[in-house]
Amino acid sequence: MKKPWHIPRLFLIHLGMSLLKRYIRSLENAEKQLERVAIKAVVDNQAFILSTLKHDQLGEGLDSMGRVVGTYAPSTEEVYAKKSPKPRTAKITGQPYNFEWTGKFFDGMKVKTSSDGFDITSPSKSDLEKIFGVQLTKLTKENMDFINKRIIEPALYEHIFNAMAKISL
């Protein structure tokens, strides 16, 4: 018995390939824009990125490897913290350095983007890194993974999904 309608198999294969080719072209075009999308996501969220570095990393006394750089000595709390200029944040004996004395280091921080990603700079960065002998403005692996998962990856996914959704059937 013959079916009431019949679509030739070759027609279905051709139609399927045609759809796939449109999706592939759309994905290839989306791929060419991923760097731009990632950079825009970083620029749009630079305040959050700087806050992560300042508060979750440097504010806890951590260098870019996640190690405590040092702790305040009694002389810092008893003598130096009472001299002018007075620090913006407390310097308590035994607590990790928080890298915020006058505010110049934190206030001068900026996010700089490039095709390789992003860096955080500050006018006093190199002086402090020489004094302590460690990198300070590079995010720890944990913080960078957090930024990737919370900011960059969602922006890339959204871009790819939007490219796919624009295909007219």
Side-chain angles (χ1 to χ4, degrees):
M1 175 181 251
K2 191 173 180 181
K3 294 180 185 176
W5 53 270
H6 181 278
I7 300 175
R9 183 168 155 66
L10 265 156
F11 175 75
L12 289 175
I13 291 172
H14 176 71
L15 181 63
M17 291 304 293
S18 175
L19 286 171
L20 285 174
K21 285 179 184 177
R22 281 192 258 168
Y23 280 109
I24 290 169
R25 272 195 303 277
S26 181
L27 286 172
E28 287 171 344
N29 289 333
E31 179 185 27
K32 292 174 188 172
Q33 300 169 10
L34 290 179
E35 182 180 304
R36 179 189 57 76
V37 170
I39 288 171
K40 183 178 182 327
V42 167
V43 169
D44 290 348
N45 291 279
Q46 62 187 324
F48 179 80
I49 293 168
L50 290 174
S51 177
T52 300
L53 175 66
K54 292 175 185 179
H55 303 292
D56 299 337
Q57 190 168 312
L58 295 174
E60 299 295 321
L62 304 177
D63 68 8
S64 295
M65 297 301 293
R67 298 178 299 227
V68 173
V69 176
T71 58
Y72 290 113
S75 59
T76 305
E77 184 177 7
E78 296 165 9
V79 179
Y80 296 110
K82 293 177 181 173
K83 291 183 177 184
S84 189
K86 290 189 179 194
R88 290 199 314 191
T89 58
K91 311 300 178 202
I92 300 167
T93 301
Q95 292 294 309
Y97 298 150
N98 57 29
F99 302 99
E100 193 170 10
W101 199 282
T102 64
K104 180 180 173 186
F105 180 48
F106 277 26
D107 294 348
M109 286 186 182
K110 299 206 179 328
V111 175
K112 301 259 181 178
T113 59
S114 70
S115 60
D116 293 333
F118 69 91
D119 290 315
I120 299 172
T121 64
S122 179
S124 56
K125 169 187 168 177
S126 61
D127 292 339
L128 286 172
E129 288 181 343
K130 282 179 190 170
I131 291 168
F132 294 110
V134 294
Q135 279 189 311
L136 295 172
T137 61
K138 180 180 173 191
L139 292 172
T140 61
K141 180 181 180 335
E142 178 183 328
N143 284 334
M144 194 63 226
D145 288 346
F146 180 73
I147 296 299
N148 282 334
K149 296 256 182 281
R150 177 149 179 201
I151 294 171
I152 298 171
E153 287 179 15
L156 297 177
Y157 289 143
E158 181 181 9
H159 175 71
I160 291 167
F161 292 141
N162 285 341
M164 297 297 288
K166 289 180 183 175
I167 295 174
S168 59
L169 298 177

